[in-house]
Amino acid sequence: MPSLVNRIFAYADRAYKSLAQAMAKRAGVLPSGWVERNATTTTSDGRTEVQPTDVNIMEEYRRSLWVYACVSKKARYAGGMPFLLKRVRRGTDEIVNDHPALDVLWKPAPKRTWARLVRIMVINYELAGRAFLEKAADEGDDVDSSKPLEGPAKQLWPLLPHKMKLVADPREGVTEYVYSPNLKPQVFAPSRIVYWNDDDPVNPDDGVGAMRPAWISNLLDRNAREWNKGFFERGAHPDVILKPMPGKQIRTADRERIEKDFEQRLLGTQKGRRPYVMPENVEYQESGLTHREIQFDRLLKLSRSELMAAFKVPPVLLGLLEDAAYATAWIQLAVFRDYEMVPLMDDLFATLSNGFLLDFDDGEDLYLEVDREAMLSQEERTGLYGIANGSIQTGLLSLDEARELVGKAPKVKTDDTGSGEAAQSTHAPELEPPPARAPIDELPGGRDEPMLRAAGTNGIHRHRRPHPADSLIEVRAEA
């Protein structure tokens, strides 16, 4: 009878798991500890391909060396980028230094910071192609998530993209979000979610992360490292075949004894170089390919280059100086900043402006943007000031025009009558060169917290990192 009872319990357990898996898959989430198999699709020419699921993709951040290196570096860089909150004005837009929206961005949730929020958003965006923020009220308020939030959000909580299911209408777009961190789905109204997604030509409401097209390259890199691990676990011996000499036979008992003796003496990280006397009537024959034959180092470099190309990360950012020197490393970083990170953050800021700032009374006039001037490197600043000074000396630019070129306000001079009106200098004074900076400031990702209080020319800037440009350059103008 115990065997019958065991069979009944085993059947009930399998039935429960099957039902739970079906419910979880319908809700777009897997129970903790379960791994969904890759989805199998059929191509137009009849071939069967295995595609990664969202769960597999998110897990690679913890399993793949170069996926973690590329995405984490990119996320930390983004978390350290300075930004500005601006209000639309006729003429020059106004920098806003004090606003309730900045308070929420500064502390989006208890024990959360802006830098940490940006990092997790970029990680989700790079891996899954989509990232979600829940707009919530104050902690402790019991608000139905399926209904719109009254007033601006007081907290912003990141949600797991692989546990979110979108319900979309062809005309209206996304009509509701179903979030299932466990087996109990939670429905969110569209206005309660800030949704940031990459472009997907197949499904405009979905997103395509870099991990999906780079999946084969990632598997190649990971499998190569697993093979290399197994190679050294075998004592750095290739696969071998022990076979009888021509005209000889080996009994089954002798074959098992020889195999066991061979493994005990040779296979293992501490046994690979020990002498071994081959048994009688047995030949040793290598099988498989060696590192040299498969060009193992070139294989790893190829998969690494493909992953860096997919995530758009330059080698110098990962400390790889095979194709660049320290003297020219800043050029790679400048290209990475201008052509990848600034457009990426502009896209995120546009999403936050539409999905978060519009909830405020003056939200239609507010927007976020990257503080590009604060991100200039020392070399770029020196070159920019050199251009400005040369233009002043040759008369191509006036003093105020040169100051505008380097990001400074016009120089206000008091006339003889004391009226306080701005007077243009007729001389050709020079702009003081920017002061030298510590190396840690060369990269915006060198610090984790960008929103430190800094006394600047416009007051207290809580929304971006302090920078020497805040107290930079007073023009030596002759009276």
Side-chain angles (χ1 to χ4, degrees), residues 230-248:
F231 176 80
F232 285 100
E233 287 179 348
R234 296 192 303 270
H237 283 284
D239 296 333
V240 299
I241 298 177
L242 299 178
K243 64 179 183 178
M245 292 182 177
K248 302 293 184 179

Side-chain angles (χ1 to χ4, degrees), residues 226-240 262-263 265-273 284 287-291:
E226 290 289 340
W227 179 87
N228 198 36
K229 174 177 174 290
F231 176 80
F232 285 100
E233 287 179 348
R234 296 192 303 270
H237 283 284
D239 296 333
V240 299
F262 184 85
E263 292 178 356
R265 289 178 176 270
L266 288 185
L267 302 187
T269 57
Q270 305 297 328
K271 306 174 185 178
R273 304 297 101 190
Y284 175 96
S287 175
L289 300 176
T290 63
H291 283 73

Side-chain angles (χ1 to χ4, degrees), residues 180-466:
S180 304
N182 44 47
L183 295 181
K184 183 179 180 181
Q186 182 180 2
V187 178
F188 286 97
S191 60
R192 294 290 301 271
I193 297 295
V194 178
Y195 180 33
W196 182 34
N197 66 312
D198 200 359
D199 298 326
D200 185 355
V202 178
N203 185 359
D205 295 321
D206 204 352
V208 177
M211 265 305 301
R212 194 167 292 276
W215 183 253
I216 300 299
S217 300
N218 176 65
L219 289 184
L220 179 63
D221 182 78
R222 185 151 53 83
N223 292 338
R225 296 180 184 279
E226 290 289 340
W227 179 87
N228 198 36
K229 174 177 174 290
F231 176 80
F232 285 100
E233 287 179 348
R234 296 192 303 270
H237 283 284
D239 296 333
V240 299
I241 298 177
L242 299 178
K243 64 179 183 178
M245 292 182 177
K248 302 293 184 179
Q249 292 184 353
I250 303 177
R251 295 179 302 176
T252 302
D254 293 337
R255 183 176 68 249
E256 294 176 353
R257 176 182 56 80
I258 293 172
E259 291 177 355
K260 185 177 181 180
D261 184 58
F262 184 85
E263 292 178 356
Q264 291 178 349
R265 289 178 176 270
L266 288 185
L267 302 187
T269 57
Q270 305 297 328
K271 306 174 185 178
R273 304 297 101 190
R274 296 178 61 183
Y276 179 71
V277 179
M278 292 295 298
E280 188 178 1
N281 301 330
V282 175
E283 289 182 346
Y284 175 96
Q285 177 180 339
E286 290 187 0
S287 175
L289 300 176
T290 63
H291 283 73
R292 179 178 299 178
E293 291 170 334
I294 64 176
Q295 298 181 338
F296 190 76
D297 56 338
R298 296 185 62 182
L299 176 65
L300 291 181
K301 288 182 180 180
L302 175 62
S303 58
R304 182 190 70 190
S305 299
E306 291 175 341
L307 288 172
M308 288 192 298
F311 289 107
K312 306 178 186 67
V313 174
V316 68
L317 190 65
L318 304 180
L320 304 174
L321 297 176
E322 301 169 356
D323 302 320
Y326 280 107
T328 59
W330 70 273
I331 299 178
Q332 286 192 32
L333 296 176
V335 172
F336 172 69
R337 176 199 64 201
D338 294 339
Y339 292 95
E340 174 58 22
M341 293 308 299
V342 170
L344 179 70
M345 295 304 292
D346 282 342
D347 190 20
L348 174 59
F349 288 156
T351 302
L352 287 174
S353 298
N354 293 329
F356 170 63
L357 295 181
L358 285 180
D359 296 337
F360 292 87
D361 295 336
D362 56 346
E364 293 185 357
D365 297 331
L366 298 176
Y367 67 94
L368 296 167
E369 74 170 17
V370 177
D371 189 354
R372 289 169 170 79
E373 194 275 334
M375 295 185 63
L376 293 178
S377 65
Q378 184 66 26
E379 292 83 359
E380 292 170 315
R381 287 174 176 274
T382 302
L384 186 62
Y385 277 80
I387 294 174
N389 282 325
S391 300
I392 293 175
Q393 298 296 336
T394 58
L396 295 177
L397 295 178
S398 65
L399 175 60
D400 287 346
E401 290 172 339
R403 289 179 62 87
E404 182 180 359
L405 178 64
V406 297
K408 303 301 296 180
K411 184 67 177 179
V412 178
K413 295 182 60 179
T414 304
D415 55 14
D416 296 338
T417 62
S419 61
E421 297 180 354
Q424 185 69 265
S425 175
T426 58
H427 299 278
E430 293 187 357
L431 299 177
E432 295 182 1
R437 297 191 299 168
I440 191 174
D441 287 330
E442 294 293 341
L443 274 177
R447 298 173 181 167
D448 290 340
E449 303 300 334
M451 296 187 297
L452 302 176
R453 291 181 179 269
T457 56
N458 295 321
I460 300 299
H461 294 265
R462 291 186 300 164
H463 54 288
R464 67 176 176 87
R465 175 200 312 253

Side-chain angles (χ1 to χ4, degrees), residues 463-474:
H463 54 288
R464 67 176 176 87
R465 175 200 312 253
H467 198 279
D470 294 333
S471 57
L472 199 63
I473 301 177
E474 287 297 330

